[in-house]
Amino acid sequence: MIVLNVDHLSIAFGTKRILEDVTFSLDEGDRLGIIGVNGCGKSTLFRLILGEQEADEGHVYISKNKTVGVLRQDDAFCEFQGENGSATSLEVMYHSFPEMLRTETRLAELEGLLRSNTDHNRTEESLVSEYTALNERFIRDGGLEFRSRCASTLLKMGFDEETMRRPFSSLSGGQRTRLALSRELCREPDVLMLDEPTNHLDMETLGWLESFLAGYKKCVLVISHDRYFLDRVTNKTLHIENLRAKLYNGNYTKSMAQRKIDREIAERHYKNQQKEIARQEAYIAQQRQWNREKNIIAAESRQKLLDKMVKLEHPKEAPKPIQIRFSSSVSGNDVLTVKDVTFGYGKTPLLQNVSYLVKRNDRLFLVGPNGCGKSTLIKLMLGKLMPHRGYIEAGYNVTIGYYDQENQNLTPSNTVLDELWNAYPTKTELTIRNTLARFRFIGEDVFKQVSDLSGGERARLTLSKLILSDMNLLILDEPTNHLDIDSREALEAALEEFDGTVITVSHDRYLIGKLATRILDLTPSGLVDLHVEHTGEGYEELCRDRQGRAAREASASESSIAPSAEEKPTQKDLYLKNKQEQAEARKQRNRLERLRAEAEKLETELEAVEAEMNGDAAYDYVRLAELDTKKNALEERLLEIYEEI
């Protein structure tokens, strides 16, 4: 049964065409993935389907009595701002069922009337009759379980009991997005429309969402750039390109394979037709050259056939992807040392005794559930926060480039051109414009204000600032959020070619799988350092490692109930432990050598200061005071070093 039919939709904003002749239909149970570069018209198509915008041509038909639910990319819950900002997450969820809440209120009113018997206009029998009918309908429609359903959905979306009862106004942007998604999933509408639902979700929540949607019996339309998610969830794909849309059967991977075949066939048909047109035109020209009556008749006959031929358009090129190439300098072999770092915002430490060593050319991914401390660890590595205990030390000649997932390093009042030029004032305008063009900022786009940019445009602008810096350590916080699939692939290729070290926080399983050489999994029980054995299989190895750990923990809990002989460490375990101890010892020796060298330098400098104090500066009180301050600082630093060595 057809649930949604889109018939020849076209729309333009002023002179700019957005969509042209878009046609497709969906049956009940279809799960459609909508893909295309940022700005191609995906969100506009959603607004047309919802009736929020009127198409210039065409129509949208939704089957009668079908409910529609939508999650927008930047759902801000306007109705819960201001006076209702004190509403909790659970209360926001309850408002997804207004009919249930109204029925509850009416049932409570009827109960009061029956107890007090104050309504003299109605008999007790009529009140009982209304109460019984209303209560039966309430139970039939799920009134007894809708509140527990709300709480259960929030739990699965990563909300604990404390977060559920916090005021809505205190939630972060990511938590609000997950709450908005929870509302729509809980209502289970007949047509569920999701715009970028995977942003701000950790891998555990993503797995649950994929399972939920894959088993959803109603119609789903989802705009997403998460290729892994699309492959797991969708059974149809709508690809929007060059104003047009084409529907493919199958998920993202299957649709891309079919799209490639279709483009090859279209290109071949066009070339064959052009050859035939050229052959016919040559024949016509030859006949006319001979200029006899029968030749003229033959030429005119062929010309008529040629004029009637339906000319094929040359297949349009796909929009050019952004072009990224990171420049790098050479660093030492040990890029970053994190030793026994402990940090927390309250009494309970968020990170405790975290230690790891980042080596040159590592492609290190930080993963773990939301709130486990990944972004905090990034800020500690950047020096934006200081550890409560332990230390973080950069290696020789390490220069850092940082990508912030919220793009907070952009100035809203700047134009795109000014934003990049202010960051690199010594660059020429040609260099700045060429760089912006590589990120699809062309023509008048460079004069847009940063505050008017979409999430994808802001992400591209931040990346354009990053590629002009000369660094050898890239620290990236959720770099693929808001990037379309073509841009993600360009970023992946650039990171693969980057001759430096990469540390990335990401929930993008496709990115992890393709690039990771090491994965740091932040778990409640501590940090797990996983070295990827086969590059290109990072995510699969992470899943296997997590499954193995879960099995070992289950086995350990069983053995605690029924004690068994303690397992002896294997030769491999002993070898790895010994190797790690040797590396730590080497690191400590190198640190001590650097401290001793610094101490010798400081001692020489201190002797020179004391000699000057007892000589030329003995009667210059201003200079003597400066030297005394310098002497105290040198002695203080020397004492710190003597304590360590």
Side-chain angles (χ1 to χ4, degrees):
M1 175 185 172
I2 293 177
V3 175
L4 173 68
N5 185 46
V6 175
D7 185 31
H8 299 290
L9 280 188
S10 297
I11 188 171
F13 298 145
T15 58
K16 184 179 181 182
R17 302 288 290 175
I18 304 298
L19 296 171
E20 193 171 286
D21 198 27
V22 175
T23 299
F24 66 92
S25 62
L26 296 175
D27 295 331
E28 196 163 348
D30 278 344
R31 299 183 301 278
L32 177 73
I34 302 175
I35 62 173
V37 299
N38 285 334
C40 71
K42 302 184 295 294
S43 296
T44 300
L45 178 60
F46 262 30
R47 288 193 290 272
L48 291 170
I49 292 172
L50 291 165
E52 296 174 351
Q53 282 183 330
E54 188 174 342
D56 298 334
E57 297 174 22
H59 302 279
V60 174
Y61 304 98
I62 298 176
S63 295
K64 192 176 181 182
N65 298 326
K66 295 296 183 183
T67 57
V68 179
V70 59
L71 171 73
R72 291 175 176 81
Q73 195 168 0
D74 299 308
D75 201 320
F77 291 103
C78 294
E79 69 270 31
F80 292 101
Q81 304 290 350
E83 294 180 4
N84 293 322
S86 59
T88 66
S89 300
L90 264 177
E91 288 168 342
V92 171
M93 289 290 289
Y94 296 156
H95 279 84
S96 303
F97 300 92
E99 186 60 37
M100 296 289 185
L101 295 175
R102 284 194 292 271
T103 304
E104 276 186 336
T105 303
R106 181 56 183 161
L107 286 171
E109 289 173 356
L110 290 171
E111 286 175 1
L113 290 172
L114 285 167
R115 278 196 299 269
S116 61
N117 198 21
T118 55
D119 191 345
H120 303 295
N121 297 322
R122 297 184 61 182
T123 64
E124 184 176 340
E125 186 179 343
S126 70
L127 290 172
V128 169
S129 176
E130 182 186 353
Y131 181 88
T132 303
L134 201 60
N135 191 51
E136 286 177 356
R137 192 181 72 190
F138 182 68
I139 294 170
R140 184 183 67 243
D141 293 344
L144 297 181
E145 61 266 7
F146 85 95
R147 291 178 183 272
S148 61
R149 207 161 105 203
C150 289
S152 173
T153 304
L154 283 178
L155 279 171
K156 290 169 183 172
M157 292 298 286
F159 286 79
D160 56 25
E161 293 285 345
E162 187 273 329
T163 310
M164 284 187 207
R165 304 190 185 283
R166 274 172 50 194
F168 168 78
S169 57
S170 69
L171 298 182
S172 67
Q175 288 171 324
R176 292 186 186 194
T177 300
R178 284 187 283 136
L179 179 56
L181 179 56
S182 301
R183 288 184 77 196
E184 298 308 326
L185 297 181
C186 200
R187 288 164 55 188
E188 296 190 5
D190 297 305
V191 180
L192 178 59
M193 302 172 65
L194 306 174
D195 191 353
E196 291 287 0
T198 61
N199 283 352
H200 307 292
L201 299 185
D202 57 34
M203 281 187 278
E204 290 75 12
T205 309
L206 269 173
W208 176 82
L209 177 61
E210 286 169 352
S211 300
F212 179 90
L213 292 177
Y216 198 68
K217 301 301 182 185
K218 300 172 184 178
C219 187
V220 178
L221 291 82
V222 56
I223 296 172
S224 180
H225 301 304
D226 187 329
R227 292 153 289 180
Y228 200 95
F229 175 82
L230 289 168
D231 277 346
R232 294 283 300 276
V233 169
T234 60
N235 64 353
K236 288 185 177 180
T237 303
L238 186 74
H239 192 276
I240 301 177
E241 183 178 274
N242 296 319
L243 310 181
R244 303 281 181 143
K246 183 163 185 180
L247 184 67
Y248 296 92
N249 286 319
N251 60 19
Y252 170 77
T253 300
K254 290 178 181 177
S255 70
M256 287 299 98
Q258 187 58 49
R259 176 170 169 258
K260 184 180 178 182
I261 293 170
D262 288 351
R263 289 187 71 86
E264 289 172 355
I265 291 172
E267 187 74 32
R268 189 161 61 248
H269 284 175
Y270 174 77
K271 287 180 178 178
N272 289 341
Q273 189 184 64
Q274 290 301 304
K275 286 180 183 177
E276 178 61 20
I277 290 172
R279 190 178 72 82
Q280 294 292 349
E281 286 176 342
Y283 174 83
I284 292 167
Q286 186 183 58
Q287 294 298 318
R288 283 178 173 161
Q289 188 177 7
W290 287 342
N291 202 25
R292 297 174 184 170
E293 184 179 355
K294 66 176 183 178
N295 300 122
I296 296 297
I297 293 170
E300 288 176 352
S301 176
R302 289 292 180 94
Q303 186 64 54
K304 287 178 183 178
L305 291 173
L306 196 59
D307 292 339
K308 289 179 182 178
M309 181 185 291
V310 178
K311 306 294 191 303
L312 299 175
E313 290 184 11
H314 187 278
K316 293 182 179 179
E317 293 292 328
K320 289 185 178 180
I322 63 175
Q323 300 171 28
I324 309 175
R325 186 178 180 85
F326 296 109
S327 56
S328 66
S329 56
V330 179
S331 70
N333 195 44
D334 292 348
V335 175
L336 200 68
T337 302
V338 178
K339 184 67 174 174
D340 295 328
V341 166
T342 296
F343 181 85
Y345 294 101
K347 293 181 180 179
T348 305
L350 182 61
L351 301 166
Q352 194 161 14
N353 298 326
V354 173
S355 296
Y356 56 90
L357 173 64
V358 183
K359 307 290 283 186
R360 187 175 64 203
N361 297 128
D362 272 351
R363 293 202 291 267
L364 178 73
F365 280 77
L366 298 173
V367 301
N370 285 334
C372 69
K374 300 184 297 294
S375 293
T376 298
L377 190 51
I378 288 282
K379 290 174 184 175
L380 287 164
M381 287 188 281
L382 291 166
K384 294 186 174 184
L385 296 173
M386 296 304 294
H388 297 164
R389 192 169 63 247
Y391 67 88
I392 297 176
E393 188 177 74
Y396 170 74
N397 198 35
V398 171
T399 53
I400 298 175
Y402 172 54
Y403 177 91
D404 169 26
Q405 67 163 318
E406 300 297 336
N407 307 125
Q408 293 174 353
N409 296 323
L410 301 177
T411 305
S413 59
N414 277 348
T415 65
V416 170
L417 182 63
D418 289 339
E419 182 66 32
L420 188 56
W421 212 348
N422 289 349
Y424 301 97
T426 59
K427 302 285 186 185
T428 65
E429 183 176 357
L430 180 62
T431 301
I432 296 296
R433 280 179 171 270
N434 284 342
T435 302
L436 289 172
R438 290 164 61 187
F439 287 84
R440 296 204 206 107
F441 292 107
I442 301 168
E444 294 300 313
D445 291 343
V446 301
F447 299 114
K448 280 185 179 179
Q449 274 202 313
V450 170
S451 57
D452 295 332
L453 299 181
S454 66
E457 288 171 327
R458 290 169 69 88
R460 298 204 309 270
L461 181 55
T462 302
L463 282 172
S464 73
K465 291 177 70 174
L466 196 56
I467 68 164
L468 286 178
S469 63
D470 189 23
M471 68 284 179
N472 46 44
L473 171 59
L474 267 173
I475 298 181
L476 311 172
D477 193 0
E478 294 289 0
T480 56
N481 272 3
H482 304 296
L483 291 181
D484 56 44
I485 292 174
D486 288 349
S487 300
R488 290 182 182 210
E489 290 175 347
L491 178 61
E492 287 162 8
L495 292 176
E496 207 164 13
E497 293 175 4
F498 179 56
D499 187 23
T501 307
V502 180
I503 300 175
T504 308
V505 171
S506 182
H507 295 128
D508 188 332
R509 295 157 295 177
Y510 203 97
L511 184 74
I512 294 168
K514 186 170 183 179
L515 295 179
T517 60
R518 276 179 72 192
I519 299 173
L520 296 183
D521 193 2
L522 275 68
T523 70
S525 56
L527 184 73
V528 177
D529 190 350
L530 174 65
H531 288 259
V532 177
E533 294 182 6
H534 303 96
T535 303
E537 298 180 12
Y539 179 66
E540 288 75 10
E541 291 190 21
L542 173 63
C543 291
R544 288 195 292 269
D545 186 72
R546 284 179 169 179
Q547 290 168 0
R549 274 184 272 141
R552 287 193 295 273
E553 286 172 8
S555 177
S557 63
E558 288 176 8
S559 64
S560 65
I561 299 170
S564 60
E566 187 177 342
E567 292 184 9
K568 294 182 179 179
T570 64
Q571 288 294 325
K572 183 179 179 181
D573 292 335
L574 292 171
Y575 168 75
L576 291 174
K577 183 180 179 183
N578 185 47
K579 188 176 179 182
Q580 186 176 1
E581 288 173 352
Q582 289 175 357
E584 288 292 334
R586 279 197 306 273
K587 183 64 184 174
Q588 187 62 21
R589 283 198 301 272
N590 291 338
R591 180 174 172 78
L592 289 174
E593 286 174 9
R594 288 198 300 273
L595 289 173
R596 289 191 185 102
E598 185 182 355
E600 289 178 9
K601 182 180 177 183
L602 291 172
E603 286 167 355
T604 303
E605 196 172 344
L606 186 60
E607 287 175 5
V609 168
E610 289 175 342
E612 188 177 352
M613 289 176 72
N614 295 323
D616 296 342
Y619 302 102
D620 185 345
Y621 296 108
V622 176
R623 178 60 178 159
L624 197 61
E626 292 174 355
L627 291 171
D628 186 58
T629 303
K630 187 175 182 181
K631 179 187 175 185
N632 290 335
L634 291 170
E635 287 176 342
E636 187 176 341
R637 177 57 183 155
L638 273 170
L639 284 172
E640 290 175 1
I641 294 173
Y642 290 155
E643 285 177 4
E644 291 199 47
I645 62 176

